[in-house]
């Protein structure tokens, strides 16, 4: 097999695009040294050779920029990267006498090892005398670390080009087609490889007519996207419509038990893999928010998913089948229907029936990516199913990238939560070996990738936590700061921590209180509207009246949702005396005068947290102003503008929520502050 040739189409620095966590300066410690890439043995796939070629060009680029050299594997290199079948997963990092060897069985894992060394910088080489030698194995917690893009090919009249996207248009599509120049997609794959994400779904789970055709007539467009991702070992997946046999194939039905339908899907899958041999699989949103699904034929979700699984199995493909299934045409007068129950009601009884290559992808909470929800009980209810945890990096309900909200701590809490109580497995333990981790991307064609430059930290953190869910999220943030702001002076580092470390809690303080959720403007979901969803069909209510607020989800008197949890949580949540304060209104309807564990009443808590939330945002603005001169002007200015909006919005939240509670309850603020 020939030595890998350097791909000519990798563009390392795109004009007018921020380098995120891979600026040239981050490569100085490696690029100033002698680097070597072992010659590959025979037997690799073309895709594997392409990744090796990428690695070679990474080495060339880094050394050319920083004065080092790429030397032969036999020459005493400071860093040798080489393939070794002896490393089962991930990569091995050895250091002896200041020389570092990274080995991995496959080129993508070797690439991950390269970026690990870049992240460690000089510390990788232990330049200080007396530093110990190392021999470490770095394996990802899960083999499946995926980002879902809710990008539309055609601009949707309401949702735009990227549904719930807050960073401009799509990096994949423009003017109703895949972009002619995909160098930015390769740059994106490079950023992802540097944090260990190795799969993306390239289109929205709400599949409209134009996007449905990506599966058939426009498959060549998906092939182009896959080709742009491949140099960095990122595999493409596609969201497909369950109705495709009818809408694309002209069949009279999409019934999963119909033999013609099954044959149609098999043929569709055969064509996809013939064109894209390393294709990942299909993502499906079925019977949810208007998307077609098996219910139309009296079939269940195992029937639907297994039909697709059968079609992709010969190719080693996966089906990511979403558990986000609920009735979105509910009657708000009907107090017996509880949207929080829906996923468990639909999916838990199907445990054990899904094929091995089906992954049931479960949103982290029972509702919809709220700033605070309990963890979905579905994650603990399907021991014989490959469940994946779904997170939302795009900040639909957490400030839409106008607010600086670092979500790492929120995700860490979810990943570390123990559904069976102390001593039991964590959510990460459940998902990692099964379906892994998926998240909705926050990236668009914005200059900073994520609109708010500080929102890059969320994308970074998702990748790092999907690789290792036990990581400390402040340390992850510190990595991001070090890479993104090379040579960041202490005050800048401290200010970014001060702004982001507690930002999730800050957002929680000035928005919907005590886990009750929503209270956002219907449709676009930005800003406060306390009763915005109260009399709608969407099933997201808070039930405030003159006496109290919250949703009774107990077994004793409510919807029975608490019964979907195993012990001890089913009882902890059932009893308002043991229910954690931050989730009280998710599980209980209580009087405004109910005293929390914190010692304050519900209504006073609302006032206190909303005043405090605004003051915290004010402090964020001041912290940024004190260090803004230490970052490039464009970042300083963009963050400044966003923080100004964050403060305006926090004040709006405070005033609307506080006024609402004052008017409903008639109870004034004990501290006599202004409420309108
Ligand atoms: C892609 C929420 C969002 C929708 C999204 C949906 C989903 O309801 O508001 O925009 O649709 O979640 O996860 O499928």
């Amino acid at each position: 097999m020939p030595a890998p040739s350097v791909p000519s189409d990798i563009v390392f620095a795109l004009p007018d695009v921020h380098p995120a966590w891979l600026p040239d300066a981050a490569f100085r410690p490696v690029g100033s040294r002698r680097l070597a890439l072992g010659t590959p043995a025979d037997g690799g796939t073309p895709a594997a050779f392409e990744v090796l070629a990428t690695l070679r060009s990474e080495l060339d680029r880094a050394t050319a920029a920083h004065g080092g050299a790429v030397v032969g594997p036999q020459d005493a290199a400071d860093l040798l990267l080489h393939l070794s079948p002896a490393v089962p997963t991930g990569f091995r990092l050895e250091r002896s006498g200041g020389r570092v060897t990274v080995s991995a069985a496959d080129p993508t894992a070797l690439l991950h090892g390269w970026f690990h060394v870049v992240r460690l910088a000089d510390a990788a080489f232990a330049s200080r005398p007396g530093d110990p030698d190392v021999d470490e194995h770095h394996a990802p917690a899960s083999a499946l670390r995926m980002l879902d893009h809710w990008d539309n090919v055609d601009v949707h009249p309401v949702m735009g080009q990227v549904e719930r996207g807050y960073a401009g248009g799509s990096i994949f599509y423009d003017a109703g087609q895949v972009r002619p120049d995909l160098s930015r997609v390769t740059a994106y794959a490079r950023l992802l490889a540097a944090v260990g994400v190795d799969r993306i779904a390239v289109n929205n789970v709400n599949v409209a007519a134009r996007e449905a055709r990506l599966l058939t007539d426009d498959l060549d467009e998906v092939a182009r996207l896959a080709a742009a991702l491949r140099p960095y070992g990122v595999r493409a997946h596609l969201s497909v419509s369950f109705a495709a046999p009818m809408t694309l194939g002209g069949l009279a039905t999409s019934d999963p038990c119909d033999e013609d339908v099954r044959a149609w899907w098999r043929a569709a899958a055969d064509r996809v893999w013939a064109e894209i041999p390393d294709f990942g699989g299909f993502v499906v949103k079925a019977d949810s928010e208007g998307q077609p699904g098996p219910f139309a034929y009296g079939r269940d979700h195992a029937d639907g998913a297994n039909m697709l699984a059968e079609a992709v199995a010969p190719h080693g493909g996966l089906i990511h089948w979403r558990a986000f299934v609920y009735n979105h045409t509910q009657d708000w007068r009907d107090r017996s229907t509880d949207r929080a129950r829906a996923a468990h009601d639909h999916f838990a009884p199907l445990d054990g029936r899904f094929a091995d290559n089906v992954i049931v992808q479960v949103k982290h909470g029972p509702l919809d990516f709220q700033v605070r929800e309990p963890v979905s009980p579905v994650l603990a209810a399907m021991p014989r199913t490959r469940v994946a945890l779904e997170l939302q990096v795009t900040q639909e309900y957490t400030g839409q990238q106008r607010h600086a909200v670092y979500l790492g701590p929120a995700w860490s809490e979810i990943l570390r939560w123990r559904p069976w109580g102390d001593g039991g497995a964590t959510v990460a333990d459940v998902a990692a070996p099964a379906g892994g981790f998926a998240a909705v991307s926050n990236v668009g064609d914005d200059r900073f990738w994520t609109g708010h430059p500080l929102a890059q930290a969320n994308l970074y953190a998702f990748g790092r936590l999907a690789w290792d869910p036990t990581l400390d999220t402040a340390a992850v943030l510190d990595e991001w700061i070090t890479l993104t702001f090379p040579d960041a002076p202490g005050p800048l580092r401290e200010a970014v921590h001060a702004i982001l470390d507690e930002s999730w809690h800050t957002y929680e303080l000035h928005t919907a209180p005590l886990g009750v959720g929503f209270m956002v403007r219907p449709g676009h979901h930005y800003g406060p509207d306390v009763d915005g969803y109260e009399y709608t069909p969407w099933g997201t209510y808070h039930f405030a009246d003159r006496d109290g607020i919250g949703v009774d989800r107990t077994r004793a008197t409510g919807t029975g949702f608490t019964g979907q949890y195993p012990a001890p949580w089913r009882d902890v949540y059932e009893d308002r005396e043991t229910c954690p304060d931050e989730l009280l209104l998710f599980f209980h309807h209580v009087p405004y005068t109910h005293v929390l564990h914190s010692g304050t009443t519900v209504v006073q808590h609302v006032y206190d947290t909303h005043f405090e939330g605004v003051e915290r945002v004010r402090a964020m603005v001041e912290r940024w102003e004190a260090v803004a001169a230490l970052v490039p002007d464009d970042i300083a200015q963009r963050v400044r503008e966003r923080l100004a909006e964050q403060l305006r919005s926090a004040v709006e939240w405070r005033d609307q929520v506080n006024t609402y509670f004052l008017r409903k309850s008639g109870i004034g603020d004990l501290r006599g502050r202004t409420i309108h």
Side-chain angles (χ1 to χ4, degrees), residues 6 30-38 55-65 67-73 75-81 114:
V6 179
V30 282
S32 55
R33 289 181 156 89
R34 287 158 57 86
L35 313 178
L37 180 60
L55 194 45
R56 173 63 206 244
S57 53
E58 284 283 340
L59 268 51
D60 287 342
R61 158 86 181 181
T63 49
V70 178
V71 298
D75 306 324
D78 298 310
L79 170 62
L80 168 66
L81 299 135
W114 157 252

Side-chain angles (χ1 to χ4, degrees), residues 394-483:
T394 195
Q395 292 173 235
E396 177 178 1
Y397 295 101
T398 49
Q400 304 198 349
Q401 282 134 254
R402 292 187 235 182
H403 291 232
V405 179
Y406 177 47
L407 293 168
W411 300 333
S412 178
E413 234 180 79
I414 294 161
L415 290 161
R416 290 164 187 251
W417 190 70
R418 297 180 189 276
W420 296 275
D422 288 349
T426 64
V427 166
D429 295 335
V430 171
F437 306 106
V440 187
S441 177
N442 64 348
V443 156
D445 69 356
D446 165 66
R447 163 171 177 63
F448 295 104
W449 297 92
T450 52
H452 200 313
L454 301 183
Q456 286 178 10
N458 286 329
L459 189 64
Y460 185 90
F462 169 71
R464 297 288 288 130
L465 289 172
W467 182 282
D468 181 356
T470 67
L471 289 175
D472 171 66
T473 55
V476 169
L477 179 60
D478 211 51
E479 282 176 10
W480 176 77
I481 296 170
T482 304
L483 290 165

Side-chain angles (χ1 to χ4, degrees), residues 36 45 106 173 238 267 369 407 448:
T45 62
D106 80 88
Y173 314 107
L238 189 69
F369 299 136
L407 293 168
F448 295 104

Side-chain angles (χ1 to χ4, degrees), residues 150 159 163-164 204-206 285 288-289 322 324 326 339 363 368-369 390 392 396-397 525 538:
W150 289 353
M159 292 299 172
E163 181 155 346
R164 311 306 179 187
N204 192 356
V205 289
N206 291 330
K285 172 177 177 178
S288 171
E289 300 183 332
R322 297 180 79 229
F324 183 59
Y326 71 100
R339 172 167 162 178
K363 284 193 183 185
D368 197 4
F369 299 136
E390 181 179 308
Q392 194 181 42
E396 177 178 1
Y397 295 101
H525 297 167
W538 293 93

Side-chain angles (χ1 to χ4, degrees), residues 219-529:
L219 183 57
D220 57 326
E221 299 196 90
V222 183
R224 287 190 50 234
L225 287 172
L229 297 166
R230 190 170 295 123
Y232 282 93
V234 177
R235 296 169 69 176
H237 293 234
L238 189 69
S239 297
V240 297
S241 165
F242 194 78
M246 298 164 78
T247 57
L248 300 174
L251 301 188
T253 178
S254 293
D255 183 348
C257 297
D258 182 282
E259 197 32 58
D260 290 343
V261 170
R262 301 176 87 88
W264 189 88
W265 278 110
R266 282 196 297 271
D270 291 349
R271 279 194 306 272
V272 172
W273 267 273
E275 185 111 6
I276 313 169
D278 59 346
F279 186 73
F282 299 142
V283 181
V284 188
K285 172 177 177 178
D287 292 316
S288 171
E289 300 183 332
Q291 293 299 305
F295 285 164
Y297 308 99
R299 313 296 182 190
D300 63 31
H301 282 244
D303 297 327
N306 289 345
M307 170 201 50
L308 293 175
E310 173 192 88
V312 304
H315 310 287
L318 295 172
I319 301 299
H320 281 82
W321 188 273
R322 297 180 79 229
F324 183 59
V325 177
Y326 71 100
N327 176 7
H328 73 289
T329 57
Q330 191 182 321
D331 185 343
W332 57 268
R333 301 165 191 83
D334 165 18
R335 297 286 286 258
S336 67
T337 306
D338 179 6
R339 172 167 162 178
R341 291 189 55 116
H344 189 285
D345 283 346
H346 287 302
F347 283 88
L350 304 179
D351 186 34
R353 283 199 37 221
F354 289 97
D356 288 348
N357 58 335
V358 172
I359 287 161
V360 173
Q361 187 169 313
V362 183
K363 284 193 183 185
H364 69 74
L367 286 183
D368 197 4
F369 299 136
Q370 299 303 288
V371 66
R372 176 72 71 174
E373 290 186 54
V375 172
S376 170
V378 179
L379 290 158
M382 305 189 70
R384 292 174 297 157
T385 304
R386 294 179 69 184
V387 288
L389 174 70
E390 181 179 308
L391 302 169
Q392 194 181 42
V393 189
T394 195
Q395 292 173 235
E396 177 178 1
Y397 295 101
T398 49
Q400 304 198 349
Q401 282 134 254
R402 292 187 235 182
H403 291 232
V405 179
Y406 177 47
L407 293 168
W411 300 333
S412 178
E413 234 180 79
I414 294 161
L415 290 161
R416 290 164 187 251
W417 190 70
R418 297 180 189 276
W420 296 275
D422 288 349
T426 64
V427 166
D429 295 335
V430 171
F437 306 106
V440 187
S441 177
N442 64 348
V443 156
D445 69 356
D446 165 66
R447 163 171 177 63
F448 295 104
W449 297 92
T450 52
H452 200 313
L454 301 183
Q456 286 178 10
N458 286 329
L459 189 64
Y460 185 90
F462 169 71
R464 297 288 288 130
L465 289 172
W467 182 282
D468 181 356
T470 67
L471 289 175
D472 171 66
T473 55
V476 169
L477 179 60
D478 211 51
E479 282 176 10
W480 176 77
I481 296 170
T482 304
L483 290 165
T484 306
F485 302 107
D487 307 319
L492 175 62
R493 185 181 297 279
E494 284 156 25
V496 175
H497 272 291
I499 290 167
L500 291 182
D501 281 347
E502 289 296 319
S503 54
W504 167 51
H505 284 301
T506 299
Y507 192 81
E508 181 179 20
L509 288 180
H510 67 68
T511 56
L514 298 167
V516 77
F518 284 85
M519 298 190 166
V520 291
R521 298 234 167 90
H524 60 64
H525 297 167
Y526 186 73
D529 187 346

Side-chain angles (χ1 to χ4, degrees), residues 551-562 573-575 587-588:
V551 189
D552 184 353
R553 293 192 160 107
T554 63
R555 306 191 285 289
T557 53
T559 67
F561 171 68
T562 57
Y573 291 146
E574 174 76 8
D575 184 347
F587 286 104
H588 297 275

